[in-house]
């Protein structure tokens, strides 16, 4: 994997770059739709490519490991062949999902023991077998196993958690270097920087991760309960340490405003379930603010869903019609909303890139942040 830094915005840390993988190039900054179980909910592959204009999607190690299982994935020839997506894929290590099962998991030096949320069966994720599982999945970018400490964790717990994450990272990195891809394409391995809301621990974690010389780095453990301003502070702290010539991935973030603020601070890659999850519940994002499509105010509004939108649903359907679909509990409403929101997110990072290249990103971002948080 190669990363080329092409432009830097004046007055802030925003960057425009290009990531080359064996499954294609990714123009950064980029938002990555989440396909937890190998599919972005309610969205076809051709819609991801042609309407949403996604360049890379996510899969999740925990969910794919449990269902359909690695035997099926390997027999299919990896996730790309299994789901028909021929562009880059990033897989989360599954650590966040395991650690969210607080009542059904146990952390040890060996790894994370947990019970399946599907059938209660016992399993163990180790730094090594998580690499093996992601080799079987065949993702272009693999993530290290880590512990995601809650945003409200005290220093003592965070210290212990970070030490474990660092030891796991060293084991995972060693196993990654000792193993080979299964399907003929290169796979990167990103360390994850933890440290909760403690700047010195974040710096320590970033320095430790950077010492490995990986292809890129992830910032984890944010947007998990801490205030937004604290999250932004931690991004700044970490990005002061991480190499400028490697992509930086902010995990699980977030709202459109969060995304622009992260880009402003030097983040290159982001993902979040918010566009599809909120869309399925009737909340649509636009450049002028958000729309609750269940509100009565849209009942007689026959204007396009998004004037000037980039996907076919934006011009094909009116606000009144989409509201009708939600009120009638039609499944099509959730599909339209998911496509619209994802297309908007990809438009947003594309516009961010355009303004970085043009040299006026910071002024544009400030104007956009003032609009994006409004309820229409």
């Amino acid at each position: 994997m190669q990363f080329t830094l092409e432009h830097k915005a004046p007055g802030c840390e925003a960057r425009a770059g290009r990531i080359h993988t064996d499954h294609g190039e990714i123009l950064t900054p980029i938002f990555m739709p989440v396909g937890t179980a190998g599919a972005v909910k309610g969205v076809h592959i051709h819609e991801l490519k042609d309407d949403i204009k996604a360049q890379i999607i996510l899969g999740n190690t925990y969910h794919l490991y449990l269902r359909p299982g690695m035997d099926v994935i390997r027999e299919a020839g990896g996730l790309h062949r299994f789901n028909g997506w021929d562009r880059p894929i990033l897989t989360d290590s599954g650590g966040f999902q395991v650690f969210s099962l607080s009542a059904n998991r146990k952390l040890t030096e060996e790894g994370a023991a947990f019970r399946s949320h599907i059938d209660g069966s016992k399993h163990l994720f180790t730094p090594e077998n998580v690499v093996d599982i992601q080799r079987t999945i065949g993702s272009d970018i693999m993530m290290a196993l880590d512990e995601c400490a809650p945003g409200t964790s005290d220093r003592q717990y965070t210290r212990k958690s970070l030490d474990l994450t660092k030891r796991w990272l060293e084991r995972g990195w060693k196993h990654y270097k000792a193993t080979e891809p299964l399907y003929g394409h290169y796979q990167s391995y990103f360390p994850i920087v933890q440290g909760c809301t403690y700047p010195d621990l974040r710096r320590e974690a970033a320095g430790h991760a950077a010492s490995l010389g990986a292809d890129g780095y992830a910032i984890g453990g944010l947007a998990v309960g801490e205030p937004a301003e604290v999250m932004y502070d931690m991004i700044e702290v970490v990005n002061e340490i991480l190499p400028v010539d490697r992509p930086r991935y902010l995990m699980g973030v977030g709202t459109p405003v969060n995304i622009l603020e992260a880009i402003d601070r030097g983040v290159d890659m982001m993902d979040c379930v918010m566009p599809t999850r909120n869309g399925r519940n009737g909340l649509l994002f636009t450049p002028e603010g958000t729309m609750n499509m269940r509100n009565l105010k849209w009942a007689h509004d026959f204007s396009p869903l998004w004037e000037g939108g980039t996907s076919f649903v934006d011009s094909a359907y009116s606000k009144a019609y989409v509201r009708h679909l939600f009120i009638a509990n039609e499944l099509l409403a959730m599909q339209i909303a998911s496509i619209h929101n994802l297309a908007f997110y990809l438009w947003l990072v594309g516009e961010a890139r355009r303004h970085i290249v043009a040299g006026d990103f910071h002024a544009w971002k400030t104007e956009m942040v003032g609009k994006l948080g409004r309820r229409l």
Side-chain angles (χ1 to χ4, degrees):
M1 193 191 83
Q2 296 177 332
F3 175 66
T4 304
L5 185 58
E6 297 178 322
H7 298 275
K8 186 176 180 298
C12 65
E13 297 301 315
R15 303 127 54 92
R18 189 180 301 264
I19 300 171
H20 175 79
T21 77
D22 286 349
H23 282 102
E25 286 193 328
I26 306 161
L27 301 180
T28 64
I30 191 65
F31 179 81
M32 303 177 284
V34 177
T36 300
V40 178
K41 283 185 173 62
V43 181
H44 292 105
I45 291 295
H46 72 86
E47 292 163 338
L48 280 170
K49 289 182 175 181
D50 301 335
D51 298 308
I52 295 166
K53 298 178 175 59
Q55 300 175 45
I56 175 173
I57 64 172
L58 269 71
N60 183 265
T61 294
Y62 169 84
H63 289 280
L64 291 169
Y65 164 79
L66 292 176
R67 188 167 50 196
M70 290 302 99
D71 290 345
V72 172
I73 295 290
R74 184 157 191 165
E75 184 179 354
L79 184 57
H80 289 91
R81 292 187 179 179
F82 188 52
N83 70 0
W85 176 259
D86 58 4
R87 296 178 182 179
I89 294 175
L90 180 149
T91 43
D92 185 359
S93 67
F96 181 81
Q97 285 70 32
V98 170
F99 302 129
S100 67
L101 303 170
S102 57
N104 293 306
R105 53 87 169 167
K106 181 179 180 181
L107 306 185
T108 67
E109 192 67 36
E110 184 181 8
F114 63 95
R115 288 186 179 273
S116 165
H117 72 284
I118 299 170
D119 60 10
S121 55
K122 294 181 179 180
H123 303 272
L124 176 68
F125 275 177
T126 70
E128 294 82 7
N129 72 14
V130 162
V131 171
D132 294 335
I133 293 167
Q134 291 179 94
R135 290 289 196 199
T136 300
I137 293 171
S139 51
D140 299 271
I141 300 174
M142 309 188 295
M143 305 305 298
L145 183 66
D146 66 327
E147 181 187 0
C148 179
T152 56
S153 299
D154 62 32
R155 185 179 180 87
Q156 182 179 3
Y157 182 90
T158 303
R159 172 78 268 172
K160 181 179 178 181
S161 172
L162 178 57
D163 288 344
L164 181 63
T165 289
K166 288 166 61 179
R167 293 192 296 271
W168 280 358
L169 173 57
E170 291 169 2
R171 286 167 50 192
W173 178 256
K174 181 178 180 181
H175 193 68
Y176 164 71
K177 300 296 285 186
T179 57
E180 296 290 335
L182 300 179
Y183 310 114
H185 63 267
Y186 180 79
Q187 293 178 277
S188 294
Y189 179 88
F190 282 19
I192 302 175
V193 176
Q194 291 289 350
C196 197
T197 59
Y198 301 96
D200 59 326
L201 298 185
R202 284 282 178 180
R203 292 188 185 95
E204 176 187 325
H208 178 256
S211 70
L212 298 178
D215 293 326
Y217 300 89
I219 306 170
L222 295 176
V224 288
E226 79 287 352
E229 289 303 321
V230 174
M231 174 176 70
Y232 301 149
D233 289 344
M234 292 305 100
I235 294 171
E236 292 178 7
V237 165
V238 169
N239 282 347
E240 288 175 357
I241 306 295
L242 293 180
V244 297
D245 61 347
R246 297 290 190 275
R248 302 156 175 170
Y249 163 34
L250 179 61
M251 305 180 73
V253 178
T255 68
V257 170
N258 292 157
I259 285 173
L260 292 186
E261 295 291 359
I263 292 172
D264 190 289
R265 290 160 172 80
V267 168
D268 306 296
M269 307 166 70
M270 292 138 288
D271 78 285
C272 190
V273 297
M274 186 171 288
T276 47
R277 179 176 292 170
N278 284 22
R280 292 194 302 273
N281 287 287
L283 188 68
L284 271 60
F285 299 98
T286 80
E288 302 300 322
T290 58
M291 301 187 297
N292 184 341
M293 299 314 298
R294 295 183 181 275
N295 284 352
L296 183 62
K297 68 178 296 181
W298 310 118
H300 299 279
D301 188 334
F302 301 102
S303 64
L305 200 56
W306 174 18
E307 193 74 54
T310 58
S311 74
F312 76 94
V313 302
D314 294 316
S315 57
Y317 303 111
S318 70
K319 298 179 181 73
Y321 179 64
V322 173
R323 178 186 183 271
H324 156 70
L325 294 178
F326 272 108
I327 297 302
N329 292 321
E330 286 287 346
L331 294 178
L332 180 59
M334 294 186 282
Q335 184 177 16
I336 290 171
S338 295
I339 293 170
H340 163 87
N341 277 351
L342 287 172
F344 169 74
Y345 268 60
L346 268 295
W347 172 87
L348 185 66
V349 294
E351 285 294 289
R353 177 183 170 86
R354 186 170 71 84
H355 285 280
I356 291 169
V357 173
D360 63 350
F361 168 81
H362 195 66
W364 170 80
K365 184 219 82 170
T366 301
E367 179 184 358
M368 287 298 296
V369 166
K371 296 189 293 185
L372 289 171
R374 297 186 305 192
R375 289 294 182 107
L376 302 179

